[in-house]
Amino acid sequence: MAAGPASHGGLRRAQRPHLSKMERMVVSMQDPDQGVKMRSQRLLITVIPHAVTGNDIMEWLIHKYCITEEEALHLGTLLVRHGYLYPLRDPCHLELRLDETPYRFQTPYFWMSTLWPAAELDYAIYLAKKNIRKRGGLFDHEKEHYDQLHRKISHTWDLVVMQAREQLWAAKQRRKGDRLVIACQEQTYWLVNRPPPGVPSVLEQGPERNSCTAGRVQMTKTVDFYRREVECLRKALGRARVKSSVCLEAYLKFSSQRGPHDPIMSGCLPSNPWVTDNDTYWAMNAPSAAVPTRLRVEQWAFSFRELLEDPVGRAHFMDFLSKEFSAENLSFWEACEELRHGGQAQVPALVDAVYQQFLAPGAARWVNIDSRTMERTLVGLGRPHRHVLDDAQLHIYMLMKKDSYPRFLKSDLYKDLLAEAVVPPKTKRRVFPFMRKPRHSSPSPALLPASASREPSGGDGEA
Amino acid sequence: MKTRRTLKGHGNKVLCMDWCKDKRRIVSSSQDGKVIVWDSFTTNKEHAVTMPCTWVMACAYAPSGCAIACGGLDNKCSVYPLTFDKNENMAAKKKSVAMHTNYLSACSFTNSDMQILTASGDGTCALWDVESGQLLQSFHGHGADVLCLDLAPSETGNTFVSGGCDKKAMVWDMRSGQCVQAFETHESDINSVRYYPSGDAFASGSDDATCRLYDLRADREVAIYSKESIIFGASSVDFSLSGRLLFAGYNDYTINVWDVLKGSRVSILFGHENRVSTLRVSPDGTAFCSGSWDHTLRTKNYLFVSLQVWA
């Protein structure tokens, strides 16, 4: 599947909104009042009007968009590389120089959105012109292309040469200044569309999008489609919405609570491994670390989900539940998770195992579910699928979250964990910073035996 | 923030990358079909596979760290178990899991190694069982190519969001296959979606040069991250661990860092010489990795392409 010029020009344009934005930018730069300062540039003996220097462009960009010099230079360079600005001197390299090199704005005829894709015939004519004018002084890559084209369209080669001669003759009739400008414009256009080797092409796109007709078929407005739309909209109407101000407050609270835990925002102790080449931070925060850090223990208090996501946290919570004789709740939840995310082939066996262990009357680790949910679950067990225990799982999850979890956070067990938690000292700055520490490699998770690398599953007595 | 590691080794455009849960390994895929697993801390390459197709636009690391998934123009998603056995050819153990009718644009493992979620240019997303390759659920509703997806970090773990060329971002229920919510305020293709760490919102980056934050409970767009001087599309977005910062890679070769709450740009990072195609924050938030289409011509015939890790 080639991302090629075979597609319709208009369709491709929609995929490149940045071009229209660049064009608008370039047009506003040429505004007589608000635009860039234009001046006439003297090139040898010819005078070219409406020229600008790199510095003028940068100043205008900085002023108009309130950006730094670095960004303005970058933006200006992109404009030149896409062919919207061309240098009047040495138009072999498309870059924005900050010296006295004069630049001009490319004529809309040669804009990327107008004259694209570049036609091979036009390129052949251009190369032929250059060949005649410079008496064979083409660049290597141009010579290659020239030969290739010659072979490809040899049947119309006479036309190419004739056109080339005509255009050269017409150009001679013009004033020297115009001739120079047109030559630069054309050269820039071809530098953008046929870049020399080593220069990345700005025209490159990823694979073509919207090319699949299957997608279009789906969009045919059948009754089914409208039925789905109506259903979706009806659901949307009925949904309870929260005020945005409340949501934004929630973000504020969330981000400020997690701020100290965010290494990029607040750094991390003892040090960020990427910065100091010291991976102690990872060793201390390993999934199965014996003594968790203080920040880590604090994180267990943020939400029940985060407590369960941390293997160490989950293990401590399991201990706590065992003391309260409700450990089967967590085990049940874990078993349900394994069912939901396990392989399809294991579903029937797992469902049966969970039923036997947790739900059957008189089961070894019977979990307390309300009767309605239990009834629904038992009915569903007739045709086991991976989501058959979802309701029961949710019930137990909420039970733990609303009841056991708050008690855990207030318990002595948790308070002791907080007290014992480690706060690593910040790494002292190295006196000789250029002495690089050797970077330790760590064993790949793929090397560990399978049981160790899987998530902790089940509790005691899991089938 | 500075570049701390440069990973050189791909010979062509880097299209996608993903972190391993061990916070230092990454898998990256490129245009020439090469998929490489690196220990980015030491910059060593650990595994390399050559896919039989070009433009491998999607790759993902399994939660256990024992396998990778990738796909692209072959319309399939393949899972490769990672092996250190020198005698085994990784390609021999490859499992073809997903089958679409158009290119694969994104893939992601769900909470385990056994299920994989894919998004494709044929306008659909699908959930597959890895072992058998069976289609568990398919998600229809996008009117054009689906370009990206992200799983929600929620308690019940049942939803995901996808963005496509129809300018819509849609939230799906994985169990029923229904679209739960849809957001359509972007003006162009949505290249990347990523959930806010709390799971209550998600950000999207689009070709219209803006990133937007959509709140799920308010059911609307709540913030736009844009600047007049940014005119190239955002190809890839990700949040820092606390959700305070939004990192976005753009097609104008830069990475912009946005303050999520204030809506303003914090800084701009230059470091690539071609468009930034992929950007992911590491699982523990200590760094982020960006991949791009750039190459530096070292010798006449050799092209190196860089992935960079910033911290």
Side-chain angles (χ1 to χ4, degrees):
Chain A
M1 191 202 278
S7 44
H8 185 221
L11 204 66
R12 289 294 259 173
R13 183 181 181 166
Q15 200 178 324
R16 305 181 300 173
H18 59 277
L19 289 181
S20 14
K21 293 199 176 118
M22 272 198 279
E23 281 153 24
R24 272 205 293 274
M25 193 183 276
V26 163
V27 164
S28 67
M29 280 168 111
Q30 293 177 70
D31 183 83
D33 302 315
Q34 306 274 349
V36 189
K37 261 191 338 236
M38 303 240 204
R39 52 186 88 156
S40 293
Q41 186 63 38
R42 174 157 288 209
L43 270 185
L44 297 177
I45 46 168
T46 34
V47 177
I48 316 282
H50 305 305
V52 294
T53 64
N55 274 316
D56 292 336
I57 295 169
M58 273 203 24
E59 260 179 53
W60 187 88
L61 285 171
I62 292 174
H63 182 76
K64 170 113 198 225
Y65 297 115
C66 306
I67 52 182
T68 60
E69 262 185 41
E70 199 182 5
E71 205 183 334
L73 179 62
H74 181 80
L75 193 52
T77 310
L78 281 172
L79 284 173
V80 178
R81 287 226 196 114
H82 280 79
Y84 288 101
L85 277 165
Y86 59 91
L88 279 171
R89 240 180 266 147
D90 188 19
C92 300
H93 301 284
L94 292 178
E95 53 187 25
L96 189 70
R97 286 208 223 140
L98 296 179
D99 49 24
E100 289 305 303
T101 317
Y103 290 83
R104 281 186 105 239
F105 294 96
Q106 179 70 290
T107 169
Y109 175 73
F110 278 129
W111 279 356
M112 262 189 25
S113 53
T114 338
L115 199 57
W116 191 90
E120 296 220 305
L121 194 63
D122 288 339
Y123 192 44
I125 295 171
Y126 167 72
L127 286 177
K129 274 200 295 188
K130 195 166 180 192
N131 206 14
I132 296 170
R133 219 165 19 102
K134 296 217 168 147
R135 278 176 267 275
L138 293 174
F139 294 120
D140 287 337
H141 69 277
E142 286 177 334
K143 274 206 194 85
E144 265 180 51
H145 280 152
Y146 191 63
D147 293 332
Q148 257 178 23
L149 285 167
H150 191 114
R151 278 196 299 270
K152 219 167 156 184
I153 49 177
S154 52
H155 49 283
T156 44
W157 200 252
D158 295 334
L159 175 68
V160 168
V161 177
M162 191 177 69
Q163 270 285 322
R165 280 195 220 278
E166 283 245 357
Q167 287 185 15
L168 280 174
W169 183 83
K172 279 211 182 75
Q173 309 303 310
R174 289 210 171 85
R175 279 178 28 229
K176 183 150 187 219
D178 290 344
R179 204 180 332 145
L180 185 70
V181 160
I182 291 175
C184 282
Q185 286 174 344
E186 207 182 12
Q187 189 163 4
T188 303
Y189 175 75
W190 288 113
L191 269 174
V192 172
N193 283 284
R194 295 281 186 273
V199 176
S201 165
V202 292
L203 301 176
E204 272 180 318
Q205 297 288 315
E208 222 173 292
R209 297 175 181 175
N210 290 326
S211 60
C212 188
T213 45
R216 305 244 178 86
V217 166
Q218 272 173 40
M219 279 309 284
T220 37
K221 317 277 189 185
T222 60
V223 175
D224 225 15
F225 170 76
Y226 281 118
R227 209 171 275 148
R228 265 186 287 146
E229 280 274 300
V230 166
E231 190 53 47
C232 205
L233 289 167
R234 191 173 292 142
K235 257 193 268 181
L237 276 176
R239 209 179 301 143
R241 279 176 188 71
V242 178
K243 276 170 72 164
S244 331
S245 53
V246 175
C247 299
L248 294 172
E249 269 178 41
Y251 301 150
L252 208 65
K253 178 159 172 269
F254 184 89
S255 291
S256 54
Q257 193 183 41
R258 312 298 158 125
H261 297 248
D262 186 342
I264 292 177
M265 301 274 317
S266 327
C268 52
L269 302 170
S271 66
N272 190 323
W274 301 100
V275 175
T276 58
D277 288 351
N278 180 341
D279 58 359
T280 314
Y281 178 72
W282 286 330
M284 297 188 85
N285 285 292
S288 47
V291 185
T293 60
R294 192 180 180 91
L295 279 176
R296 189 172 174 180
V297 179
E298 279 173 11
Q299 196 170 355
W300 300 341
F302 289 163
S303 76
F304 189 41
R305 171 169 66 88
E306 281 164 275
L307 171 66
L308 290 183
E309 269 173 11
D310 186 345
V312 174
R314 196 194 283 196
H316 285 297
F317 186 60
M318 182 68 97
D319 285 340
F320 173 75
L321 287 179
S322 311
K323 290 205 180 76
E324 297 206 329
F325 305 105
S326 49
E328 65 272 2
N329 286 342
L330 186 57
S331 301
F332 175 68
W333 182 84
E334 283 178 342
C336 290
E337 280 289 281
E338 205 180 317
L339 170 69
R340 246 175 3 133
H341 297 121
Q344 188 68 0
Q346 284 87 40
V347 165
L350 271 171
V351 169
D352 194 51
V354 169
Y355 174 72
Q356 293 301 333
Q357 214 189 0
F358 296 100
L359 296 172
R365 312 191 67 197
W366 191 76
V367 285
N368 195 356
I369 309 177
D370 69 287
S371 50
R372 217 163 12 138
T373 315
M374 182 64 103
E375 256 180 62
R376 257 208 314 269
T377 309
L378 288 175
V379 164
L381 285 175
R383 276 178 301 124
H385 57 93
R386 66 176 60 240
H387 291 289
V388 72
L389 295 172
D390 274 8
D391 289 337
Q393 183 184 7
L394 187 61
H395 178 89
I396 294 292
Y397 182 85
M398 292 316 242
L399 189 69
M400 288 193 289
K401 179 177 170 181
K402 300 232 162 73
D403 191 32
S404 317
Y405 176 58
R407 278 210 302 277
F408 170 73
L409 292 178
K410 295 200 196 93
S411 70
D412 290 332
L413 179 70
Y414 182 68
K415 292 206 176 84
D416 289 341
L417 283 168
L418 258 180
E420 285 164 11
V422 164
V423 179
K426 191 173 166 115
T427 314
K428 281 206 263 289
R429 301 205 80 176
R430 282 202 302 272
V431 179
F432 299 103
F434 48 82
M435 265 164 59
R436 273 249 311 257
K437 276 196 84 152
R439 295 174 188 161
H440 302 131
S441 57
S442 73
S444 165
L447 275 174
L448 296 168
S451 54
S453 54
R454 249 210 308 273
E455 272 191 278
S457 61
D460 318 294
E462 173 71 0
Chain B
M1 295 212 82
K2 298 199 318 196
T3 305
R4 306 286 173 178
R5 300 283 189 279
T6 310
L7 304 171
K8 294 196 162 103
H10 275 291
N12 215 318
K13 311 180 177 60
V14 172
L15 299 175
C16 183
M17 54 93 29
D18 191 18
W19 288 89
C20 175
K21 286 238 159 76
D22 76 348
K23 308 149 192 172
R24 47 192 287 172
R25 283 178 171 76
I26 64 171
V27 59
S28 60
S29 65
S30 71
Q31 185 201 353
D32 58 3
K34 280 231 165 44
V35 178
I36 302 181
V37 176
W38 318 69
D39 178 347
S40 49
F41 190 61
T42 58
T43 71
N44 290 337
K45 295 202 243 319
E46 292 191 341
H47 306 266
V49 183
T50 307
M51 294 275 287
C53 69
T54 58
W55 288 97
V56 186
M57 291 176 276
C59 62
Y61 222 120
S64 67
C66 297
I68 54 166
C70 47
L73 286 187
D74 56 352
N75 301 359
K76 296 203 287 246
C77 184
S78 315
V79 175
Y80 291 86
L82 295 176
T83 168
F84 279 94
D85 192 339
K86 296 257 188 297
N87 298 327
E88 262 180 47
N89 182 5
M90 261 179 70
K93 289 255 169 118
K94 151 177 151 176
K95 249 186 285 209
S96 236
V97 174
M99 286 288 307
H100 280 281
T101 53
N102 208 339
Y103 64 87
L104 195 83
S105 53
C107 67
S108 169
F109 284 91
T110 60
N111 288 33
S112 75
D113 284 15
M114 317 275 199
Q115 287 171 31
I116 198 161
L117 194 58
T118 59
S120 163
D122 63 9
T124 66
C125 300
L127 182 67
W128 309 83
D129 177 59
V130 172
E131 197 59 48
S132 59
Q134 185 190 351
L135 173 67
L136 298 174
Q137 185 63 261
S138 72
F139 307 91
H140 295 260
H142 273 288
D145 308 20
V146 185
L147 296 178
C148 50
L149 58 80
D150 190 32
L151 281 153
S154 84
E155 296 184 300
T156 45
N158 262 335
T159 60
F160 73 95
V161 63
S162 66
C165 287
D166 56 354
K167 312 174 196 167
K168 280 207 279 208
M170 300 174 85
V171 181
W172 306 87
D173 176 14
M174 282 206 282
R175 184 175 160 176
S176 62
Q178 293 299 317
C179 167
V180 175
Q181 281 171 286
F183 303 89
E184 193 172 355
T185 60
H186 269 294
E187 293 158 17
S188 187
D189 304 353
I190 298 180
N191 293 314
S192 167
V193 285
R194 193 71 61 204
Y195 268 95
Y196 185 75
S198 72
D200 291 327
F202 67 90
S204 60
S206 153
D207 272 346
D208 65 3
T210 65
C211 297
R212 296 177 199 232
L213 187 69
Y214 295 94
D215 188 285
L216 295 172
R217 294 176 304 167
D219 202 17
R220 56 189 284 258
E221 171 193 301
V222 290
I224 305 186
Y225 307 101
S226 70
K227 210 169 181 317
E228 268 196 344
S229 60
I230 301 177
I231 50 182
F232 283 74
S235 62
S236 174
V237 297
D238 204 354
F239 284 98
S240 71
L241 204 64
S242 63
R244 185 63 198 260
L245 296 176
L246 179 69
F247 298 97
Y250 287 79
N251 291 341
D252 65 356
Y253 324 166
T254 63
I255 297 168
N256 287 291
V257 186
W258 299 91
D259 182 319
V260 172
L261 301 174
K262 290 194 193 145
S264 59
R265 186 177 65 182
V266 171
S267 78
I268 178 170
L269 302 168
F270 299 94
H272 286 290
E273 292 159 34
N274 205 327
R275 67 163 78 176
V276 178
S277 53
T278 173
L279 190 153
R280 296 292 290 264
V281 173
S282 78
D284 63 350
T286 48
F288 72 87
C289 181
S290 61
S292 85
W293 286 17
D294 65 12
H295 59 272
T296 19
L297 207 63
R298 294 284 167 197
T299 68
K300 261 289 185 156
N301 297 317
Y302 231 131
L303 299 167
F304 286 96
V305 168
S306 63
L307 279 162
Q308 299 192 26
V309 180
W310 307 72

